[in-house]
Amino acid sequence: MGSLNVSRPETYFLTNEGRRMDKWLHYFDIYERHFSSYRGAKVNIIEFGVSHGGSLRMWRDYFGQQARITGVDIDSRCASLAEDGIDVVIGDQENRAFLNDLAAKVGEIDIVIDDGGHTMAQQIATFEELWPRIRDGGIFLVEDLHTSYWPQYGGGYKRPGTFVEYAKNLVDQQNAWHSRESGQFTIDDYTRSIYGMHVYDSVIVFDKGTINKPINLAIGKPSF
Ligand SMILES: C[S@@+](CC[C@H](N)C(=O)[O-])C[C@H]1O[C@@H](n2cnc3c(N)ncnc32)[C@H](O)[C@@H]1O
């Protein structure tokens, strides 16, 4: 049962002699911070970006045998990297119809890791189509957000349409309960479902949860 034989995915990464993987070193603290409570659990995980298949094996090792791991890549050669406990689906993460078919196939999702093509359109389509498919308590992690600043990916400093600018708007939506401009700034599904956004260098982690109208109370005796 279970192959929870490493304490951190970083250990697996740094000692990997198997299929190649490609991660920035500081991501491993972020993974540990947000993923550790899911280890050993029956979780449904999708990683966009299979490449040589190394990270899928790392997730299998880290989360354990009960986890269902699905890798998605546009490169049809990646289909050959499926193995026991790891499914690989071939498709374009910018294609919303494909994403909806994928969601129907995999069912309710616990964790999405977007390490795919890293263009703005890909990241936004993947978030918009799969966020509703994440269960309450689940996580959506987008990595390599430095592409929001790289012109070859559609990025640029404060450039409209980047994923970082898109995420800044989601900060507004999280706070829409407090809007005084009801005509243009209103509560939406993101207001009601983004429990938290954790912003790191090149990574944003979204926590999903049901959010009700915030309640403010003042309890106790006044001091003045
Ligand atoms: C950074 S690599 C993935 C690395 C892998 N997760 C790892 O840690 O080793 C990015 C992958 O995204 C795939 N990709 C690029 N554009 C894509 C798209 N539109 N849809 C799905 N996958 C895409 C590429 O084929 C490539 O294999």
Side-chain angles (χ1 to χ4, degrees):
M1 233 322 274
S3 60
L4 300 179
N5 54 351
V6 294
S7 56
R8 294 165 61 86
E10 185 174 17
T11 310
Y12 186 100
F13 179 66
L14 291 173
T15 58
N16 178 38
E17 293 182 344
R19 289 179 178 170
R20 192 165 80 196
M21 59 184 137
D22 175 355
K23 296 288 185 191
W24 291 70
L25 269 187
H26 69 280
Y27 292 0
F28 289 94
D29 279 337
I30 301 168
Y31 297 149
E32 189 67 12
R33 175 180 286 221
H34 293 277
F35 293 164
S36 59
S37 63
Y38 294 88
R39 295 187 74 199
K42 202 171 168 190
V43 280
N44 195 5
I45 297 170
I46 301 182
E47 182 174 41
F48 286 85
V50 172
S51 192
H52 296 271
S55 58
L56 294 178
R57 282 189 169 174
M58 176 179 73
W59 299 131
R60 155 68 52 230
D61 185 84
Y62 183 67
F63 288 108
Q65 291 302 316
Q66 293 220 78
R68 179 178 174 201
I69 315 272
T70 304
V72 180
D73 207 288
I74 200 167
D75 183 342
S76 58
R77 293 175 302 172
C78 294
S80 68
L81 301 175
E83 56 190 355
D84 192 25
I86 295 177
D87 293 327
V88 173
V89 178
I90 301 302
D92 178 358
Q93 69 175 132
E94 192 176 331
N95 179 332
R96 290 172 187 260
F98 165 72
L99 291 168
N100 278 299
D101 287 350
L102 174 72
K105 184 175 166 194
V106 300
E108 203 171 38
I109 303 163
D110 294 282
I111 297 176
V112 169
I113 302 156
D114 184 356
D115 186 22
H118 305 307
T119 68
M120 308 303 111
Q122 290 164 0
Q123 290 167 334
I124 291 170
T126 305
F127 180 79
E128 288 185 346
E129 298 306 320
L130 295 193
W131 177 254
R133 314 298 187 128
I134 303 254
R135 73 162 178 81
D136 261 20
I139 291 174
F140 196 110
L141 184 151
V142 191
E143 53 191 55
D144 288 9
L145 289 179
H146 37 256
T147 59
S148 276
Y149 305 98
W150 292 355
Q152 68 269 37
Y153 286 85
Y157 179 54
K158 292 193 193 293
R159 183 168 176 184
T162 70
F163 192 84
V164 165
E165 292 303 314
Y166 177 82
K168 290 176 187 174
N169 289 325
L170 292 177
V171 173
D172 292 333
Q173 284 316 127
Q174 255 192 311
N175 288 281
W177 300 106
H178 312 285
S179 169
R180 298 287 187 268
E181 290 129 300
S182 57
Q184 54 172 347
F185 178 31
T186 55
I187 294 160
D188 67 4
D189 288 346
Y190 293 116
T191 317
R192 296 184 183 280
S193 65
I194 297 178
Y195 183 82
M197 286 176 62
H198 310 263
V199 182
Y200 304 95
D201 172 79
S202 301
V203 174
I204 299 184
V205 182
F206 298 87
D207 293 327
K208 181 134 182 213
T210 300
I211 307 297
N212 296 312
K213 188 171 187 211
I215 297 167
N216 174 242
L217 295 175
I219 297 175
K221 298 184 182 120
S223 301
F224 306 103

